[in-house]
């Protein structure tokens, strides 16, 4: 493989307790020039870390935390369909960005999803997508809405103000449109920028 290809390739660390499973996953990498294996002892050097646990549960999620340490690592889990026992939201919080059912993916699926995750994307089986959406809806309905918050972490009033700022409205126009005083609009903007550590109004709108 040319040196430049090695330099540019996505680095993948594979952590699997079963040697035969690990050997199979490593062999899939060898057919794609955009992927390069790094030694399992150097998982923090990987752009993506593949983990193939016997069971995906809460204990496994804590193991992921131990693998990543303080680093921001993206994990791809390869697990038997019937061995998924983890909370999907917690899995995402622990850095899981994709899940593959061990009995139903192809080598092409594997390499494609590794590249998707390396580029900031994610991929989950339909059943896990459904569970994740249900948890998001529950959080929105039971936790955020009663407190006047949206899933973005800003309040509905803050979102209204930022939307109008993004449309080019002056503070006086926003105040009139939302039936607030101009000082209230300034206070709302200041509160958002301070809480989210945003530099200015343009940064707030972008956020």
């Amino acid at each position: 493989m040319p040196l430049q290809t090695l330099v540019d390739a996505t680095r993948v660390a594979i952590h699997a307790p079963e040697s035969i499973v690990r050997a199979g996953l490593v062999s899939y990498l060898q057919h794609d020039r955009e992927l390069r294996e790094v030694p399992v002892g150097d998982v923090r050097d990987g752009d993506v870390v593949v983990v193939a646990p016997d069971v995906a549960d809460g204990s496994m999620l804590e193991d992921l935390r131990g693998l990543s340490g303080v680093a921001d690592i993206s994990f791809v889990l390869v697990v038997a369909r019937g061995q998924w026992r983890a909370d999907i939201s917690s899995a995402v919080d622990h850095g899981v960005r994709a899940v593959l059912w061990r009995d139903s993916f192809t080598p092409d699926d594997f390499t494609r999803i590794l590249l998707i995750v390396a580029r900031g994307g994610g991929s989950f089986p339909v059943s896990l997508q459904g569970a994740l959406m249900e948890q998001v809806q529950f959080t929105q309905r039971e936790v955020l809405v009663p407190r006047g918050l949206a899933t973005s972490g800003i309040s509905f009033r803050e979102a209204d103000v930022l939307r109008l700022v993004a449309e080019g409205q002056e503070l006086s126009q926003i105040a009139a449109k939302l039936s607030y005083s101009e000082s209230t609009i300034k206070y709302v903007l200041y509160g958002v920028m301070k809480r989210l550590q945003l530099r200015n109004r343009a940064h707030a709108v972008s956020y």
Side-chain angles (χ1 to χ4, degrees), residues 148-150 152 154-171 173-175 177-180 185 188-189 192 204-205:
L149 297 172
S152 60
I154 62 175
S155 71
F156 297 119
R157 181 172 70 169
E158 290 168 341
D160 288 339
V161 170
L162 290 174
R163 185 177 66 252
L164 293 171
V165 171
E167 292 173 1
Q169 301 283 327
E170 298 293 336
L171 295 186
Q173 294 173 305
I174 296 172
K177 191 164 291 188
L178 298 180
S179 300
Y180 294 127
I185 300 302
V188 169
L189 284 171
V192 172
V205 168

Side-chain angles (χ1 to χ4, degrees), residues 126-192:
V126 172
S127 59
L128 294 185
Q129 291 180 35
L132 182 58
M133 287 188 286
E134 287 178 3
Q135 291 182 9
V136 169
Q137 289 173 337
F138 175 84
T139 301
Q140 172 81 6
R141 183 178 64 250
E142 302 296 333
V143 179
L144 299 178
V145 170
R147 293 166 173 77
L149 297 172
T151 51
S152 60
I154 62 175
S155 71
F156 297 119
R157 181 172 70 169
E158 290 168 341
D160 288 339
V161 170
L162 290 174
R163 185 177 66 252
L164 293 171
V165 171
E167 292 173 1
Q169 301 283 327
E170 298 293 336
L171 295 186
S172 58
Q173 294 173 305
I174 296 172
K177 191 164 291 188
L178 298 180
S179 300
Y180 294 127
S181 68
E182 191 170 339
S183 61
T184 297
I185 300 302
K186 291 179 180 178
Y187 178 80
V188 169
L189 284 171
Y190 173 77
V192 172

Side-chain angles (χ1 to χ4, degrees), residues 27-47:
S27 71
Y28 296 162
L29 300 181
Q30 297 169 353
H31 301 291
D32 195 310
R33 292 184 177 181
E34 294 185 78
L35 300 168
R36 173 169 63 90
E37 185 199 5
V38 296
V40 69
D42 298 328
V43 292
R44 294 176 182 82
D45 293 330
D47 298 307

Side-chain angles (χ1 to χ4, degrees), residues 96-108:
V96 176
R97 296 294 174 259
V99 174
L100 288 164
W101 295 140
R102 191 179 295 187
D103 59 347
S104 61
F105 74 90
T106 66
D108 285 344

Side-chain angles (χ1 to χ4, degrees), residues 13 15 43-44 47-51 60-61 63-69 71-78 91-99 113-114 117 121-124:
H15 185 82
V43 292
R44 294 176 182 82
D47 298 307
V48 180
V49 176
V50 178
V51 180
M60 182 272 308
L61 294 182
D63 290 342
L64 295 188
R65 191 186 300 278
L67 279 176
S68 62
D72 184 15
I73 291 179
S74 295
F75 291 101
V76 173
L77 299 187
V78 178
V92 172
D93 288 342
H94 282 70
V96 176
R97 296 294 174 259
V99 174
I113 287 174
L114 289 178
V117 170
S123 180
F124 294 91

